[in-house]
Amino acid sequence: NKENVFYSVQDAKVCCGPTNIIFRDGDSYSYFQNITDMYHYSRITGKIADKVRGNVIEKAFLLPRIGQNNYYHSIVDRMPALWAYNLMGLNCQIISSYKLNAIEKTLASRIGIICEQIIYDENAEYLSKIGIVPETSSFRISYYEACSKLYNESDPDYEKIYISRTQSDSRPLINESILEEILENNGYKILHMELLSIEEQIKAVSSCKVIIAPHGAGLTNMVFAKRGCRIVELIPNKYMVPLFRQLAIDCGHYYSPLIGYVKEDVKPGGEEKNFLWEISIDKIKNIIKYL
């Protein structure tokens, strides 16, 4: 049954490999999500592991594995679930169906979660007689607001930044070096987020009034900017994914897309995301006059 912003489930089994949370639903068992490993394991084999070989706990807060193990999903899907635990004043055991990565552990400690107390064992199964599973989307906006307050000192050198993708092989921007030179000459700091620690990323973005960036995980860092930041997303015309538009709205930022164009010379491999594209330098020059 869904109650407010949580799912309260009975006899919830948490598996770390294959990963999923299943629970008793009347005389049968249901999956919490149908996009995880356990679902596909059962779909292929025709088997469902409804008998637990492991520890039994009376009541636990359960962390589902949502999304892929990347920076965007860590911030948008996984951390709001942990935020829900503290926000609602819970004190029961936390069981995770996935192993928290280093960034997730750092952010969790920032919001008061003691990661060492989270149960995770890839070789074990757990049964929670009563399982509390957060409805992650209900806690995102509140979590983003908390993120924007993690670092309060302002640094005028970082009021305008460009998040570079020159370190990435995916979706290379042909004229990015020219773009970066123009932006740098107009007072923008060029940042390579993958070369910074999570603490350095938080500190850099917390002072931002303008963020320009190609579509990519680095743009997720807008959650650490104060409300009302201006976001300009450079996005290729053949990969119009609205993820960061919604994220900007949820964070209370002003969002503008600038469309770039995929070239004919697609990179070898034929993958959907594996292409060369470029952005109009003239349009960039015109836009930054008003930012």
Side-chain angles (χ1 to χ4, degrees), residues 127-144:
L127 178 75
S128 176
K129 292 184 179 179
I130 298 176
I132 302 171
V133 184
E135 174 54 59
T136 303
S137 61
S138 300
F139 294 94
R140 283 180 178 142
I141 293 177
S142 175
Y143 178 66
Y144 302 154

Side-chain angles (χ1 to χ4, degrees), residues 6-275:
F6 291 106
Y7 293 95
S8 178
V9 295
Q10 294 182 322
D11 293 342
K13 177 183 174 182
V14 183
C15 303
C16 299
T19 304
N20 208 339
I21 297 171
I22 61 176
F23 59 92
R24 185 162 57 81
D25 185 10
D27 296 329
S28 61
Y29 278 78
S30 296
Y31 300 96
F32 183 70
Q33 286 185 299
N34 63 357
I35 59 173
T36 47
D37 301 338
M38 178 62 79
Y39 169 77
H40 293 295
Y41 169 81
S42 299
R43 180 175 58 83
I44 294 170
T45 65
K47 301 176 181 179
I48 181 169
D50 57 355
K51 294 182 179 180
V52 173
R53 301 178 300 279
N55 302 303
V56 177
I57 297 174
E58 287 296 322
K59 182 179 181 180
F61 184 79
L62 310 180
L63 288 179
R65 193 199 74 175
I66 305 174
Q68 302 173 13
N69 186 26
N70 64 32
Y71 190 63
Y72 173 84
H73 287 292
S74 289
I75 300 296
V76 173
D77 294 320
R78 298 183 178 187
M79 291 311 303
L82 273 173
W83 172 248
Y85 179 85
N86 270 6
L87 191 65
M88 303 305 291
L90 300 175
N91 59 8
C92 56
Q93 182 66 62
I94 301 175
I95 304 177
S96 178
S97 62
Y98 64 92
K99 186 177 182 180
L100 272 68
N101 59 40
I103 288 174
E104 290 165 349
K105 288 180 179 179
T106 298
L107 291 173
S109 65
R110 279 292 204 122
I111 60 173
I113 299 289
I114 301 174
C115 295
E116 290 73 19
Q117 295 180 354
I118 298 176
I119 294 178
Y120 170 83
D121 187 343
E122 62 184 8
N123 298 313
E125 298 171 350
Y126 298 91
L127 178 75
S128 176
K129 292 184 179 179
I130 298 176
I132 302 171
V133 184
E135 174 54 59
T136 303
S137 61
S138 300
F139 294 94
R140 283 180 178 142
I141 293 177
S142 175
Y143 178 66
Y144 302 154
E145 183 179 356
C147 284
S148 71
K149 299 175 181 176
L150 288 179
Y151 196 92
N152 289 319
E153 294 183 26
S154 85
D155 186 341
D157 289 339
Y158 286 89
E159 287 187 354
K160 298 191 291 185
I161 68 169
Y162 174 77
I163 300 175
S164 175
R165 279 185 63 82
T166 56
Q167 302 290 316
S168 175
D169 293 329
S170 175
R171 302 187 302 275
L173 187 54
I174 298 172
N175 55 349
E176 189 163 21
S177 59
I178 300 172
L179 171 63
E180 290 184 2
E181 182 179 356
I182 291 170
L183 290 173
E184 200 164 21
N185 290 337
N186 282 273
Y188 284 78
K189 284 284 187 180
I190 309 301
L191 297 182
H192 298 85
M193 292 302 188
E194 58 268 58
L195 303 180
L196 302 178
S197 70
I198 182 60
E199 294 288 354
E200 290 171 329
Q201 293 179 57
I202 294 171
K203 182 178 178 180
V205 177
S206 64
S207 298
C208 284
K209 294 182 179 179
V210 181
I211 299 174
I212 300 177
H215 178 88
L219 195 49
T220 311
N221 283 287
M222 72 171 78
V223 301
F224 303 118
K226 302 296 184 288
R227 186 180 181 88
C229 184
R230 296 184 181 277
I231 309 296
V232 179
E233 180 183 12
L234 313 181
I235 187 165
N237 64 323
K238 291 187 179 180
Y239 196 63
M240 301 285 287
V241 182
L243 297 177
F244 294 110
R245 176 182 179 274
Q246 186 60 55
L247 183 57
I249 291 171
D250 290 345
C251 291
H253 298 325
Y254 300 102
Y255 172 87
S256 299
L258 180 57
I259 311 302
Y261 294 91
V262 174
K263 305 298 290 182
E264 294 292 333
D265 50 345
V266 177
K267 291 188 69 179
E271 298 177 15
E272 180 184 358
K273 300 179 184 179
N274 201 17
F275 49 71

